[in-house]
Structure formats: structure tokens, C-alpha cells
Amino acid sequence: MITDLSQPLDYDTKSPEYRACITQALTVRTLHASPTNPRKHFDEAALAELAENVRQHGVMQPILVRPWPANQPISADFTGGFPLYEVVAGERRYRAALRAGLDLIPGLVRHLTDREVLELQIIENLQRRDLTEFEEADGYRLMMKDHGYTADELAARINKSKAYIYARLKLCDLATPARSLIDGAGLPASIALLVARVPVPELQKKAAGEIINRHMSHRQAQQHIHEQYMLDLRKAPFDRKDASLTDAGSCTDCPKRTGNLADLFTDVASADVCTDPHCYRDKKVANMRATQRKLEEKGKTVVTGDDAKKILPSDYHDHPTDGYVRLDQQDWRARDEDGKAPTYGQLAKQAGIEPIHVVHQATQTVVAVVKEADLKKALKQTGDNSLSKADDTARAEEKKRKEAAEFRQRLYAEVRQEIVAHLGAGNPLDSWHLRTIARQTYWGAGFDACHRITQNWIPREEIGDGHERHRVLGERIASMSDADLMLLMIDCCVGGHLHVAGYSTGYAETPPVLAELAVRWGVDADALKKDLKAAAREKAKGTKKGTARKVAGKTAEKAPDPEPAARANEPKPAPKRKAKPTAPATQAAAAAKPAEARAWPFPTSAAEAKPAARAGADEPNEQAAGAAKKPQGKTKAAAGQARQEEGPPPATDDAGEGAIERCTRTIDMLSGQTACEEGAAA
């Protein structure tokens, strides 16, 4: 046995006690935290609570230590001279004992190698929910870098996939500025990984700031990174296999190409995607300069600077200004009988015209163009009048289009004058106009809006296919009454605002058109919102209540059923919100009723609409209350009754409306959590 621990330990690994485990009471001041522990952050409030518990009850579960290696550095904050033991596992208990002022702490002494220590720390901390993904990643990197683990060995040892290991390791590539932004915003590891895959530190910081400022979800952040920080190598203007363009080498062998790290880029469809925009830009610049140099060596015309800006004026694309055409652009005016059109490069070669090579600095490309007038002139000299004829045909077609447009505009202008005079005389529009407007509004609303509109008119039970419902409702417009036509137009105005897409950000909770309609027809939107929230709280409350409360609905005696005559005299319940109309015929019949017998779709006053709206708004509460009364099984009821008789009444998190009740079992679990904190959660 090792007896002298006053000096740095240099134990014999072949000795019998090397693998021996010694449980003993250790002096707290002789211990020191392990420098390889992946956990670096400790919750101060939880640690203070644990220290108070340790002060009262002591440390119930031993910590794991090993003799301090002689060659291991000691941190500057250790004031006890030379430590005797390294805390391998249980650092929270060790810190709590220090705060509590304990002299001794139970410890299990084991002789472990550095590799074994790190492996135990990683595996032990993986069971802790408060270990951050960054701390986990640092631990994996240390095991692979300093202790020779491969990704396959590490995945097998901790029972994770290799893709999981690579994803965690990639988090280590986050630069400090981006990591600070992500930590401060509390972004999840899934979004942090998206940012970490961007290999440029300043771009990482930029991407993280954009995601945080725009409050992006994971899907939105993923799409943003794909669109703004990844480039399709298949569209690159340079040779992907050329290793001489820059020091980065060829793109095919680059680790920043998604195909070379397929386990890390499972969300990217193509393998030929570059994740480093800066490297991609540098290669474009190098390729542009090399192309320019080769053209000049061959004596070709190369235009640069301000002259190039006149031909390619845009900073966003490399399309030439009027009067110039690109050689790779097809001239569809000169297509043959089979519909095939030659490129301007083919026509220029046929005419013997040398192209002009223009350097476009914004896109780092060299674009070959020719003057269209010179091309036509040269082709005409060779006897080819195809472009001139094509121009004559195009001019004739353009003239016809202008004449047709002018006729339409003049015709509607005269029709509109007649309509203005008709309305000015106090005459309403007839059913034909309503039908025409409704038809155009409906078919112009778009399929998504029409899909929601048709649900108000044709139930799924009648026609299941959405496209078919769309078509059928469009045909029914021809036979609708004026009231149904007006209701359909209102549906079309609102239908596009009844859905909130997953990619929507910054949307109004109540669209203006819907809010204005609610005010016009006397519907209290705020009251309805409160009722829906109350119903949601009731539903959540019902699911969280313990078995002791649920048993009441099962064991209570059922009241005798009153006589039929007595039931006939009972007051009727308040009317619920009417079901949505299901067909134009039904709605037309409803529209034909007297005004005092109906409140929708066209009540005579706002006061007439309020009672029906409020009665419908109360319906969620009635449904939630009814759901809470459902009987439970006998076994759960009996167990709940026993706990109800033995334990205290259910507690609540907060007093007042919407308080969450806790069952007695939950209270027992919470009360026992503190007693086992140092053993189970350290």
C-alpha cells in the first residue's frame, strides 16, 4: 500500500496496488480539481444549494480520485502546496465541501492513466444534463488529439454515431467572437453547428449576428447559411481540379467541400458545394487574372476599368448593356425550322468578327461580347440577312402588341366611364357584376387561400380532394345568390391571412383586414383571445393534475336521471357557435331568413352580432371543462385515492388563475431531490 503521500507520487505501474481501489476519508485541502475535466461551468445557485446540503448532512457519495501525477502542472489558484490527489469525478461535491468548510470528504482512490481519467470524465459527464455541448466537444477533441482515439473508437466507446462525434467536434471550430454571441443568445447546439461549419471566423460572427437579430428558427438559419455562405462548385468559372490557382489546392480534395465531409453535411444535397466564400472568391480572382493574361499574350482585345464598366454596368450580374451581346447567348430570332437557335458566338465566327473580352470586376469574370450592329453588318456582307429579317419580324410583332394593348386600354376607359355614370346616379350593380367580380376574385386568390376558402363551403366529407373542391366551388359561383357572392368575396379577401407559415417572422397577430372586419361586425377579438388562452390553460391543467384529483370523476356517484317531464322544464344551455355553412344552397337559404332571425353573414347592427360571437367564444372553456370530467381506470383511481388520504393536498406553483396543481407523488419527488443532490446530480 502507498503510505507516504507527502511527496509527488511516482508509483510503480506493475505493483499490486496499482489497480487497487482504496476508499478512505480524504483531507479536502489535499485535493485539487482535474485540469482535464470537460465541465468548466458550474451553476452558482445550484452549487450554493448543494453546499448548504453538504454542510448539514455531509457528502453521502464518495468522489473518485487518483494520486496526483508528478509531471502534471498545478493551477495558480491552488494554495495548499503540492496536491496529493486529483479529483477525477465528483468535482461539484468537492467544490461544495470546500464551500461548506468540511475537513474530510469520502473518496475512492484509484490508480488510473491519463487516458482512463479522460475517458471516465467524458462518460460520466455525458450523463449530466447540465454539460454544455461545447464542453462535450472539447472533451472529445482532447481524447482524439492527446490520447489517440479515432472517431470510430470514440463513437463505439460512448455509444454514439460517428456523425454525432464529427458534429460535436465541429463545434470546436467556432471562433471566440461567434461563440460568445451564440452563448449570450442561448442558441441551441443545432444552430451553433450551422455557424461552425462556416470556416471563416469573421463570417461566423456575421452569420451568428444575422441569425440572432432576425430571430431565425433552425430551418430558417439552415436555409440562410445555404443561400449566403455556400456556393455551387458546378457553376464555378474556374477549373475545380486546378491546384495552381491558390495555395488552397484543388477543390476536389479540399476539406471545405461538402462531399469530403459527408457525415457533417447531411443536409446539403450536392457534394460539390464550397463552404468557404472567401476561398471561392480568391480562386475567381486568380482565374480572372490568369484568363486576362492569356488573352493579352495572344493579342486579343481586353477591356478593363471604366471602359469595361460602360459595357457591363451592373455590380450584380455580367449582362451587357444595350448594343452588345454575349457570345454564349442564343439568338432566338434566328432559330431554324426545328426551333434551334444559334449562339452569337457561332454567328460571330460565321461573320469573321473578333469578340471583345471585358473584365467584370464585380463578379471576377471575363465576358466575351460583340457589338450587335457590327455583327448584323458583317453577316449582311456575307449574304446572311437572317438577323435583319428577324428584326423586321420582331418589330412587326411589337407593333401588334402595342396596338392590342392600346385597344384594351381605350375600351375599358369607355366602359369605366359608363359604370361611373351608372353608380353616380345612385344605381347599384346587378347580379351579373357581382358574379363577375366574385369569379375573378376567387380564381385570382391563389390555391393556398382558395384551399382554406373552400373548407367553409364544401366539407371534406363531400369532396376529399382539395383541387376538386377548388374546381367545384368555382363552378357553383354561376348559381350563387347575391348574398353568397358577397360572402365569397369577403372570404377571398381574408382567406390569404388565415394561415401563418413556418418561415414567417414579424407578422401581426391579427391581420388588419381581419381586425377591421371584427370591429365592423361587433366581434370582440381581445375577449376571444382571452377565452382561447383560458381554454389552453385548462387543458394543460387537466393533463398535469395527479391521479388523486382524477379519481373524483370515477368514484363520485352518478346523480339519478330526472324524469323526462322534469328535463323538459329545465332551462336550455346557452347556444354554441354555429357551424360553418357547408354549401351555397344552405347559405342562400340562411340569407333568405328575416334579419332578426340571423346574425351572420349580414347582421343589421353590431349589437346584433355580439351575443352570438360571445356565445361561440365561450365554447372552448366548455369543451375543456367537459374533457376534465372524463372517468379514469379503476387501478389508477384506487392508487390516487390512497395517496389522497395519506398525503397533503396538491400544491400549486402560483396562486391565481391558471395555477398548475401538482400531485402528491410530484411533491414527494421534489422533496427527496435535495436529499440525494450530492449523490445523484453531482
Side-chain angles (χ1 to χ4, degrees), residues 52-76:
E52 181 60 29
N53 191 280
V54 166
R55 185 179 293 109
Q56 296 178 10
H57 305 287
V59 177
M60 307 301 295
Q61 182 179 356
I63 63 174
L64 178 63
V65 301
R66 72 163 177 171
W68 188 272
N71 59 346
Q72 185 158 274
I74 305 170
S75 62

Side-chain angles (χ1 to χ4, degrees), residues 354-600:
E354 283 293 327
I356 303 171
H357 300 277
V358 185
V359 176
H360 190 228
Q361 291 292 342
T363 58
Q364 290 90 38
T365 55
V366 178
V367 182
V369 300
V370 292
K371 284 186 177 182
E372 191 172 12
D374 294 345
L375 180 59
K376 290 178 183 179
K377 182 178 180 181
L379 287 174
K380 192 173 183 179
Q381 291 176 353
T382 61
D384 187 347
N385 297 323
S386 58
L387 289 185
S388 299
K389 293 180 179 179
D391 284 343
D392 294 340
T393 303
R395 281 192 290 269
E397 291 178 353
E398 180 65 20
K399 182 180 179 181
K400 289 181 180 180
R401 286 194 294 269
K402 289 182 178 180
E403 290 174 351
E406 183 180 3
F407 168 73
R408 293 180 184 183
Q409 295 167 8
R410 292 290 300 273
L411 178 60
Y412 178 65
E414 295 188 12
V415 171
R416 191 173 186 277
Q417 288 180 359
E418 297 297 328
I419 295 174
V420 170
H422 178 80
L423 295 176
N427 300 316
L429 294 177
D430 56 18
S431 298
W432 183 90
H433 288 88
L434 287 178
R435 203 175 313 282
T436 302
I437 296 171
R439 184 182 293 110
Q440 295 297 325
T441 305
Y442 175 72
W443 290 112
F447 178 76
D448 289 340
C450 287
H451 176 69
R452 288 182 285 276
I453 293 170
T454 55
Q455 295 176 5
N456 296 329
W457 297 81
I458 305 176
R460 291 178 181 271
E461 294 77 10
E462 181 180 341
I463 300 177
D465 182 69
H467 293 273
E468 183 65 12
R469 287 200 307 273
H470 189 189
R471 184 189 65 79
V472 170
L473 182 58
E475 293 178 350
R476 291 182 182 179
I477 293 176
S479 58
M480 285 185 181
S481 65
D482 290 355
D484 283 343
L485 290 172
M486 288 188 286
L487 180 57
L488 178 61
M489 286 188 284
I490 294 175
D491 285 346
C492 293
C493 292
V494 181
H497 301 280
L498 299 182
H499 176 67
V500 180
Y503 52 82
S504 300
T505 57
Y507 53 84
E509 189 172 34
T510 306
V513 61
L514 187 56
E516 292 171 4
L517 275 174
V519 173
R520 170 64 182 84
W521 295 99
V523 177
D524 191 341
D526 293 334
L528 176 61
K529 189 184 305 179
K530 291 179 181 178
D531 289 341
L532 292 175
K533 290 182 178 179
R537 287 196 298 267
E538 286 293 327
K539 183 177 180 181
K541 184 177 179 181
T543 57
K544 293 182 179 179
K545 286 181 179 179
T547 311
R549 190 184 65 81
K550 293 180 181 179
V551 72
K554 179 67 178 177
T555 59
E557 293 185 2
K558 185 177 181 181
D561 191 25
E563 295 296 330
R567 289 199 307 271
N569 295 327
E570 291 179 354
K572 295 182 179 180
K576 297 182 180 180
R577 182 178 294 157
K578 296 181 180 179
K580 295 180 179 179
T582 58
T586 303
Q587 296 178 18
K593 293 180 180 180
E596 62 273 14
R598 59 189 175 88
W600 179 258

